[in-house]
């Protein structure tokens, strides 16, 4: 669809005004804010043309106009002023991270929290799926009340722990031989391989030679292994989605929150490409997100693949600012993740 330069200016102005105030935009308001001198009658004629092209629409409660999905899409594809994040932008993001991070998950949590705080929206981060995560060490830490903490370390720097209550008839000393066996035989092996060994008879058979009833220990070790290999969503500003959802009952919002917590669901809607991508409303492909916009960008982790950083917010948003921020944060993660490879 071909728009005149004047129509482009008016559509851009309507989107800007509506983003700032979320009120329908009328001809008089546009006349005050446009950089060109033009009568209200001419503006109304141009708005009628934009409406006939389905780029703006009229609300029943107001004489003004608001952007349509098609209007936002046209703006994003043809009118929005964009620029890629500069090295200065990226360095500013890196300097905004607080503290030193011993684990990748801590860095991703801080990144999501910082991006959410800057925008007021919900930030989502998925790190690359790794198929070569290996066991680096396993230990048991005794607690009071016949409890202990099982701690598993993997070669990606992740520490996974789980509290476990020993059966009354079992002493922690009786498990030392199995912990020693794991550290002797399993360190350096891929987590997926060890999980497969547990599902077969190989590992249970070996452990039954050291302890009469290894089932409880195997359950514990298996749970910690599975968690270490899990695919988690790192979320900043989780509840910010409530500010932009039409649903007010928590029971109605619950499916949305559950969706955002599911890494596989988030991967289905997010793009891992290094270029910033913007999807609005129904373009996202998920009915729960039909009222939102999703900005995504991939970030590269050497020898591991691409992770994804995403920003979820309302459809009326400052796209130029938020695409730049998403780009800067994605590139900052690409650089920071080198420290963990």
């Amino acid at each position: 669809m071909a728009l005149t330069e004047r129509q482009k200016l008016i559509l851009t102005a309507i989107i800007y005004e509506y983003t700032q105030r979320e009120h329908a935009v009328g001809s008089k308001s546009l006349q005050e804010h446009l950089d060109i001198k033009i009568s209200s009658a001419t503006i109304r004629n141009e708005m009628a043309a934009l409406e006939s092209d389905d780029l703006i629409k009229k609300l029943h409660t107001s004489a003004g106009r608001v952007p349509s999905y098609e209007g936002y899409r046209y703006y994003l594809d043809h009118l929005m002023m964009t620029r890629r994040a500069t090295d200065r932008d990226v360095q500013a993001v890196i300097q905004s991270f607080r503290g030193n991070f011993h684990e990748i998950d801590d860095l991703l949590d801080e990144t999501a929290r910082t991006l959410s705080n800057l925008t007021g929206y919900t930030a989502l981060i998925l790190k690359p799926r790794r198929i070569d995560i290996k066991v680096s060490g396993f230990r048991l830490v005794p607690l009071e009340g016949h409890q202990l903490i099982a701690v598993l370390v993997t070669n990606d720097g992740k520490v996974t722990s789980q509290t476990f209550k020993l059966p009354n008839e079992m002493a922690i000393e009786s498990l030392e031989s199995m912990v020693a066996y794991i550290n002797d035989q399993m360190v350096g092996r891929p987590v997926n391989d060890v999980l497969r060994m547990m599902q077969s008879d190989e590992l249970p058979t070996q452990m039954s030679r050291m302890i009469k009833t290894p089932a409880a220990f195997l359950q514990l070790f298996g749970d910690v292994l599975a968690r270490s290999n899990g695919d988690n969503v790192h979320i900043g500003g989780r509840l910010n989605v409530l500010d932009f959802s039409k649903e007010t009952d928590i029971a109605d919002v619950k499916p949305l929150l559950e969706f955002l917590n599911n890494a596989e669901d988030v991967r289905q809607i997010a793009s891992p490409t290094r270029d910033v991508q913007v999807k609005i409303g129904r373009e996202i492909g998920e009915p729960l997100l039909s009222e939102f916009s999703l900005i995504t960008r991939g970030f590269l982790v050497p020898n591991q693949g691409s992770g994804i950083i995403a920003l979820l917010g309302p459809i009326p948003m400052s796209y130029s600012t938020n695409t730049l921020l998403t780009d800067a944060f994605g590139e900052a993660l690409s650089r920071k993740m080198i420290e963990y490879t």
Side-chain angles (χ1 to χ4, degrees):
M1 136 187 355
L3 300 184
T4 66
E5 291 304 311
R6 189 161 63 191
Q7 288 170 344
K8 292 177 182 179
L9 285 174
I10 290 174
L11 178 59
T12 300
I14 290 173
I15 289 176
Y16 177 79
E17 288 290 314
Y18 187 64
T19 298
Q20 295 297 308
R21 297 175 177 81
E22 291 194 42
H23 293 302
V25 182
S27 58
K28 289 186 177 180
S29 176
L30 285 174
Q31 189 179 31
E32 294 174 1
H33 292 93
L34 283 172
D35 292 331
I36 57 174
K37 291 185 178 180
I38 185 173
S39 69
S40 292
T42 301
I43 292 176
R44 286 193 294 271
N45 289 336
E46 297 289 25
M47 290 173 73
L50 292 172
E51 188 173 2
S52 68
D53 287 333
D54 295 323
L55 297 177
I56 60 175
K57 58 185 180 181
K58 184 177 181 179
L59 297 179
H60 296 297
T61 57
S62 171
R65 304 295 191 276
V66 300
S68 65
Y69 285 117
E70 292 77 10
Y72 281 113
R73 188 74 262 167
Y74 188 93
Y75 169 77
L76 290 168
D77 292 340
H78 303 290
L79 304 178
M80 184 175 72
M81 300 293 290
T82 61
R83 69 174 178 87
R84 296 300 299 265
T86 64
D87 185 69
R88 185 175 181 179
D89 296 325
V90 176
Q91 289 302 320
V93 170
I94 293 175
Q95 291 172 10
S96 71
F97 296 149
R98 298 178 180 176
N100 297 316
F101 308 101
H102 300 293
E103 295 185 35
I104 293 175
D105 289 349
D106 293 336
L107 169 62
L108 299 183
D109 285 339
E110 174 65 14
T111 303
R113 185 164 46 248
T114 302
L115 179 57
S116 176
N117 288 341
L118 280 173
T119 61
Y121 303 147
T122 298
L124 310 165
I125 302 178
L126 291 167
K127 64 183 177 183
R129 283 174 164 166
R130 291 191 59 175
I131 59 174
D132 61 340
I133 297 176
K134 298 177 181 179
V135 176
S136 293
F138 181 73
R139 64 179 297 196
L140 299 177
V141 180
L143 300 173
E144 295 180 356
H146 221 58
Q147 289 188 321
L148 53 84
I149 297 178
V151 181
L152 180 76
V153 181
T154 48
N155 67 327
D156 61 346
K158 184 176 181 179
V159 179
T160 306
S161 62
Q162 183 165 321
T163 303
F164 177 67
K165 184 173 177 60
L166 282 174
N168 292 329
E169 67 277 7
M170 184 180 292
I172 189 172
E173 290 77 15
S174 66
L175 303 178
E176 290 177 354
S177 58
M178 287 197 287
V179 173
Y181 175 80
I182 289 172
N183 285 309
D184 182 55
Q185 299 294 322
M186 303 300 155
V187 167
R189 292 195 181 193
V191 170
N192 285 334
D193 287 355
V194 180
L195 284 169
R196 280 192 291 269
M197 290 174 65
M198 293 191 64
Q199 293 167 359
S200 67
D201 291 333
E202 183 177 353
L203 194 56
T205 299
Q206 292 291 337
M207 290 189 173
S208 65
R209 297 171 183 172
M210 305 172 201
I211 188 170
K212 291 182 179 179
T213 55
F217 180 84
L218 284 170
Q219 179 66 46
L220 167 67
F221 184 52
D223 287 348
V224 180
L225 271 175
R227 286 183 58 205
S228 73
N229 210 25
D231 193 9
N232 298 323
V233 185
H234 300 266
I235 305 180
R238 184 190 314 269
L239 297 182
N240 288 348
V241 294
L242 304 182
D243 295 334
F244 316 116
S245 174
K246 293 179 181 177
E247 305 292 349
T248 56
D249 192 310
I250 191 63
D252 296 325
V253 176
K254 186 178 178 182
L256 172 59
L257 297 177
E258 290 176 345
F259 178 91
L260 298 180
N261 279 326
N262 189 304
E264 190 59 39
D265 286 341
V266 174
R267 286 190 186 278
Q268 292 297 320
I269 62 171
S271 171
T273 64
R274 294 289 295 276
D275 292 328
V276 177
Q277 304 288 323
V278 182
K279 297 179 182 180
I280 56 173
R282 55 180 177 265
E283 295 174 356
I284 300 174
E286 170 51 53
L288 290 169
L289 302 178
S290 61
E291 304 166 17
F292 297 88
S293 282
L294 184 70
I295 303 174
T296 61
R297 185 206 194 270
F299 61 91
L300 183 65
V301 182
N303 304 317
Q304 295 184 30
S306 291
I308 301 171
I309 183 168
L311 190 63
L312 184 68
I315 293 175
M317 69 157 67
S318 176
Y319 287 100
S320 57
T321 297
N322 290 308
T323 53
L324 176 60
L325 279 171
T326 304
D327 189 36
F329 272 77
E331 184 59 30
L333 275 181
S334 292
R335 299 185 189 184
K336 286 290 291 183
M337 293 291 275
I338 294 175
E339 301 173 12
Y340 297 87
T341 58

